[in-house]
Each structure stands twice: as structure tokens, then as C-alpha cells.
Amino acid sequence: GAGVSQSPSNKVTEKGKDVELRCDPISGHTALYWYRQSLGQGLEFLIYFQGNSAPDKSGLPSDRFSAERTGGSVSTLTIQRTQQEDSAVYLCASSLAGVGGSDTQYFGPGTRLTVL
Amino acid sequence: GDSVTQMEGPVTLSEEAFLTINCTYTATGYPSLFWYVQYPGEGLQLLLKATKADDKGSNKGFEATYRKETTSFHLEKGSVQVSDSAVYFCALSRSGGYNKLIFGAGTRLAVHP
């Protein structure tokens, strides 16, 4: 496909369980971002990968959150010991270059996470 | 820190009305500015952007001008359609390699026939 894809589209889990969310960026895009969209906090940056550089993890809300990007392509966001406040839509985006500040980010459809 | 403030919604208009959604920002240096739109049931998509002062971004009849003196990037459209009903997000990205987007809270627009 031509766009950013994410899976699953919906995830319901019980408090305390671990979850993994997957993102497939647009082919050839070197930069990949994770954001979170929730009612209380709006759209928040979580983490940013640029090529082979160390990721910018400055937006991760706690050490229960981690992400990796294998082979410069697919990324997985992992949330350990989920809490109810983790319920949100998790959005992935990719961009061609990721530097300079003016790059257009293309967003996936998101994964809606519900923690019971 | 950097931030974006946009007018609270919902904004309710009749078809063919004039639209303005206000957006102001606080940032170090010279950020790039964006408007993203989220149609019902769809993902975020870029509507328009401007990368330096006095630039005007435009797309689908929407316009926004980067005003450094007032730190604003207000979104305008001369004649809205029902199909413009969506949530609109103003965002900034700092220059100098920091490409993460900082978003405003979003403004919901409802256009009625």
C-alpha cells in the first residue's frame, strides 16, 4: 500500500497486560514518529526515529513505554503493565527526511487502545 | 516550551459561510506551521503548511498566512461546504532538526446545509 499502515486497528486489554502496536511506514521514509491522541491530553508526541540515529524518546510518558524500529522500517510500540490512563488512539507517522522542521508527516489510521 | 493555542470549538456554520479558525503559537526560533484535518472516521492528513514568515499555505480553498509579528497562523475559507465538517488541528515543528509536531487542541467544525 502507499500509505502508513498500523495494526491492530482496535485493541482491548485488561489492566496490567502488555500490548504491542505495529506501524509500517511509507516505503523510503527515513523518519518515523509515534503520537498519542486522548480526550484529556489531545495529540502528544511520544517518540521519533530518524535513520540510524538514536531515537528521541523525550515524549514517552513512563518507562512502561518503549519502541523499536527494526531494519529502518517497521516499528513496534510496546506498553507494559497497561493502565487505564493508557487508553487512547496511538498514531504513527512517517516522513521522507525527518530533519529541518518542514518535512510533511503522513499519518496512519491509528490503533485504538482500550484498557479495562 | 513550545505550544500552540487554537480557538475552542465546536464551530457551527451554514454552507457557504466564511470560516476562520484562530491559531497562535509560542516557539523558539522560526518554526514551520501546519494545519492538519481529521475527517470523521479517517486519519490525520495535512491540509496546508508554511515554512517561513509571510508564506501563505493553501489547499482545497483553505488558506493560512504565517504571521511572525503576531505569532499566528489563522485558517480561513471563503465558502465552506458540508464536506468540510471535520476536526482541524494547528501544529508547529521547530527548525534545526527537531521535527516532532506540537499540536493545538483541535477545533471541531460542523457545516449544515
Side-chain angles (χ1 to χ4, degrees):
Chain A
V4 177
S5 60
Q6 294 185 244
S7 60
S9 56
N10 279 285
K11 177 71 177 178
V12 180
T13 190
E14 293 180 349
K15 179 181 172 181
K17 301 283 190 183
D18 297 352
V19 295
E20 285 189 352
L21 312 179
R22 176 187 168 102
C23 172
D24 278 279
I26 293 172
S27 178
H29 281 193
T30 62
L32 186 147
Y33 316 77
W34 284 97
Y35 295 87
R36 178 169 73 173
Q37 186 174 22
S38 58
L39 280 177
Q41 302 297 324
L43 271 158
E44 308 170 273
F45 165 79
L46 296 177
I47 188 169
Y48 157 49
F49 296 89
Q50 171 57 50
N52 295 320
S53 302
D56 175 356
K57 304 180 183 180
S58 60
L60 294 179
S62 77
D63 58 9
R64 296 186 295 104
F65 288 72
S66 63
E68 62 177 22
R69 188 179 185 192
T70 53
S73 181
V74 171
S75 176
T76 302
L77 177 69
T78 301
I79 309 173
Q80 295 179 308
R81 306 181 302 281
T82 52
Q83 304 295 312
Q84 289 182 331
E85 62 262 28
D86 300 334
S87 296
V89 177
Y90 289 81
L91 297 171
C92 177
S94 69
S95 69
L96 192 58
V99 295
S102 62
D103 217 21
T104 296
Q105 296 182 28
Y106 297 86
F107 284 80
T111 294
R112 181 176 297 277
L113 174 66
T114 303
V115 182
L116 301 177
Chain B
D2 297 348
S3 65
V4 175
T5 303
Q6 60 182 107
M7 63 187 288
E8 290 188 22
V11 174
T12 304
L13 295 173
S14 298
E15 207 165 22
E16 299 183 3
F18 184 86
L19 169 71
T20 300
I21 300 178
N22 289 337
C23 171
T24 57
Y25 68 90
T26 301
T28 305
Y30 302 92
S32 294
L33 302 174
F34 305 81
W35 277 100
Y36 277 82
V37 59
Q38 190 170 35
Y39 296 104
E42 298 185 17
L44 271 173
Q45 49 187 278
L46 179 69
L47 181 59
L48 53 84
K49 72 178 185 182
T51 58
K52 61 182 187 295
D54 300 324
D55 268 3
K56 178 185 285 187
S58 61
N59 186 25
K60 299 182 180 180
F62 291 88
E63 292 183 340
T65 301
Y66 187 161
R67 300 287 188 201
K68 187 174 184 303
E69 64 275 15
T70 54
T71 61
S72 65
F73 193 53
H74 303 322
L75 182 68
E76 297 182 335
K77 186 173 185 182
S79 176
V80 293
Q81 306 300 311
V82 172
S83 57
D84 294 327
S85 298
V87 181
Y88 293 81
F89 293 91
C90 186
L92 71 81
S93 178
R94 255 207 286 168
S95 59
Y98 295 91
N99 212 42
K100 63 187 180 187
L101 288 167
I102 296 169
F103 288 91
T107 302
R108 182 175 299 278
L109 170 66
V111 181
H112 298 288

